[in-house]
Amino acid sequence: NSHQVRLVLRCCNSPSKVLVSLMLSSQTRDQVTSAALQRLRAHGCTVDNIVNTDDDTLGQLIYPVGFWRTKVKYLKQTSVILQREFRGDIPNTVEGLVRLPGVGPKMAHLAMDTAWHQVSDIGRGGAKNPEETRKALEDWLPRDLWSEICWLLVGFGQQVCLPVNPLCSVCLNHVHLSLPLTDLK
């Protein structure tokens, strides 16, 4: 669940490890991500080590995370950028993070919250227009709740609003999400 993911991420002792964890977790079950992270940490989960690890070995370490071949490529490309431009650290802005290969806005906002303890976004859910939904939620909810709501949405996406075969028939939110947010106040 999203609480377990959050604990794993908070246990990472560097922002770059937080980013690697997030990159591996995308489209992957928590248990698979956790096992891959354990193998990668045992090998040495540093920017320099990822750069110096050949693609086959890196693939063996992270397999069977979802889209592992693509993630090997993104991890290597991102690590090279982090090594050259950020001395092994990660950018401390959403704009800087989304410039990295394999890092989209949702991942960047989660990294800001987890690595830098800066809440920059509330999350999106599976809306038709994610940017509009994000802005509406941010306008509606107090900023001090954004981080918690973001993690609840992550868990909701992992358990109910799945990217493939979402469980709409059991979702209690589909009725509420069709209402304008102003009606929910």
Side-chain angles (χ1 to χ4, degrees), residues 121-124 129-141 146 181:
D121 178 71
I122 199 166
R124 289 173 175 74
N129 186 335
E131 190 60 21
E132 235 176 76
T133 300
R134 180 186 64 79
K135 287 179 181 177
L137 284 169
E138 287 174 358
D139 288 343
W140 182 60
L141 286 165
W146 288 10
L181 288 175

Side-chain angles (χ1 to χ4, degrees), residues 10 14-16 18-19 90 110-118:
R10 294 268 187 222
S14 75
S16 63
V18 167
L19 185 61
I90 67 171
L110 289 170
M112 289 298 296
D113 184 18
T114 307
W116 299 119
H117 308 289
Q118 295 177 19

